[in-house]
Amino acid sequence: GYECISANGSEDYRTPVLDKLAETGMRFEQCFANPICTPSRVKIMTGLYNKRNFTKFGVLDRSQTTFAHQLKKAGYTTAIAGKWQLGKEKDAPQHFGFDQACLWQHFRPKAKEGTTFDSRFSNPQLEINGKAVDYKNGEYGPDVCADFLCDFMETNKDKPFFVYYPMILTHCPFDATPDSLTWDPKSPGSKTYKGPGDNDQKKIHFRDMVQYADKIVGKIITKLESLGLRENTLVIFTGDNGTDAPIRTQWSGREVIGKKGKVLDEGTRVPFIVNWPGKIAPKVQKTELVEFSDIMPTL
């Protein structure tokens, strides 16, 4: 949610990488997503209101044109990493315009086969270009996806590329990250949907997840810089719904209670930062409304 970024006024979480992107780019205060993820991602990928092309949760109709299709037409090489949950066909990412894909919940379920353990974070089960890949040596799903994209950018540094990273963070289960005091590299994943522990423990884990998401954005920015591509790369950061329950966040002198799934400010208001050195002047857009049907025509 909007309240999770310290540049936006969060008092509970520190997000220095995103804060710097906001300070040196354009930060929007009035960006709105749908209150749950699939409709938001269907909209951001196609530029169409959900009334026009949403069929059901977890599906992107195969007749749709995405921003990856459009950028491929313009000569871009394309990659996606992170959360999929938009169709189980083995060729689905390529069908929708992505040359390379490292995904969670592509054609396998969110629980590890034969168990009740979540499969996205510690020792994840992913699908890379349509092939199942199981990690068992303390890997962390969001890092695996980010490293995949960094490798993709290095491989394609001499030509135009488009990277779409629907980061698995900060979705529940609210569980430890590799930077958490409670991190267990042998953990098979959470057995409960919202994560282990009481609400206070979930809040601690959520804080760690927000701050780890910021760290991963930093990893990608650092890679762009090391490749000499930062000044030729447009970076857009947003979220696909408001914060989930039971998370409560101190923000701008008041408490914001997560209301993901509800068509309320706390369920739909999300961060939106656009950064392109030398192209986009630093500014805060306080009143300009922006939402996900704007992305396709912008790109």
Side-chain angles (χ1 to χ4, degrees), residues 63-64 106 118 142 185 206 227 255 271:
S63 68
Q64 296 301 306
H106 172 190
D118 190 84
F206 183 75
L227 295 172
E255 183 176 71

Side-chain angles (χ1 to χ4, degrees), residues 95-270:
H95 175 84
F96 287 112
F98 297 100
D99 297 311
Q100 299 289 321
C102 175
L103 300 170
W104 173 76
Q105 209 180 357
H106 172 190
F107 53 84
R108 296 199 284 178
K110 64 184 179 182
K112 292 177 178 174
E113 286 91 340
T115 76
T116 58
F117 294 110
D118 190 84
S119 63
R120 76 192 83 185
F121 290 129
S122 55
N123 300 296
Q125 290 186 338
L126 304 176
E127 294 90 35
I128 298 179
N129 294 322
K131 295 181 179 179
V133 181
D134 295 345
Y135 292 88
K136 301 177 181 179
N137 296 305
E139 294 90 349
Y140 189 57
D143 273 327
V144 173
C145 293
D147 290 342
F148 178 88
L149 293 178
C150 287
D151 291 344
F152 169 84
M153 292 190 295
E154 181 157 0
T155 300
N156 295 281
K157 63 185 178 183
D158 296 324
K159 51 189 171 183
F161 61 72
F162 170 61
V163 163
Y164 176 43
Y165 185 23
M167 194 187 297
I168 304 166
L169 290 165
T170 57
H171 199 288
C172 66
F174 305 123
D175 208 346
T177 76
D179 287 350
S180 301
L181 294 176
T182 53
W183 169 250
D184 176 8
K186 296 182 179 178
S187 170
S190 175
K191 290 186 71 172
T192 57
Y193 177 63
K194 288 294 178 76
D198 58 17
N199 286 352
D200 288 341
Q201 187 64 57
K202 289 179 175 63
K203 171 66 180 291
I204 291 170
H205 285 158
F206 183 75
R207 176 203 65 196
D208 292 351
M209 294 168 82
V210 169
Q211 294 177 175
Y212 206 90
D214 184 75
K215 180 179 179 178
I216 287 180
V217 173
K219 176 187 287 191
I220 293 171
I221 297 297
T222 298
K223 185 66 175 181
L224 287 168
E225 290 171 346
S226 72
L227 295 172
L229 299 174
R230 184 63 192 93
E231 292 188 356
N232 198 33
T233 306
L234 171 66
V235 174
I236 301 173
F237 177 88
T238 188
D240 63 4
N241 49 243
T243 306
D244 200 1
I247 305 303
R248 295 168 177 256
T249 300
Q250 297 304 312
W251 170 75
S252 296
R254 70 178 180 92
E255 183 176 71
V256 176
I257 301 171
K259 289 186 170 61
K260 174 184 174 180
K262 298 185 182 299
V263 189
L264 300 168
D265 204 56
E266 300 87 349
T268 59
R269 191 180 183 193
V270 293

Side-chain angles (χ1 to χ4, degrees), residues 276-292:
W276 191 357
K279 301 286 187 182
I280 295 175
K283 187 175 182 179
V284 178
Q285 289 282 6
K286 292 183 176 294
T287 59
E288 187 78 13
L289 178 66
V290 62
E291 58 91 49
F292 289 180

Side-chain angles (χ1 to χ4, degrees), residues 12-59:
D12 282 344
Y13 324 122
R14 302 273 69 84
T15 54
V17 174
L18 290 168
D19 293 353
K20 185 177 180 181
L21 288 176
E23 181 184 355
T24 59
M26 189 171 291
R27 179 174 67 87
F28 288 78
E29 294 193 347
Q30 305 297 333
C31 178
F32 293 87
N34 292 72
I36 57 174
C37 59
T38 298
S40 290
R41 289 182 295 115
V42 167
K43 185 192 286 189
I44 203 170
M45 292 171 72
T46 65
L48 297 178
Y49 289 122
N50 293 136
K51 181 177 176 63
R52 297 184 62 189
N53 72 345
F54 184 79
T55 54
K56 62 180 179 179
F57 185 82
V59 172

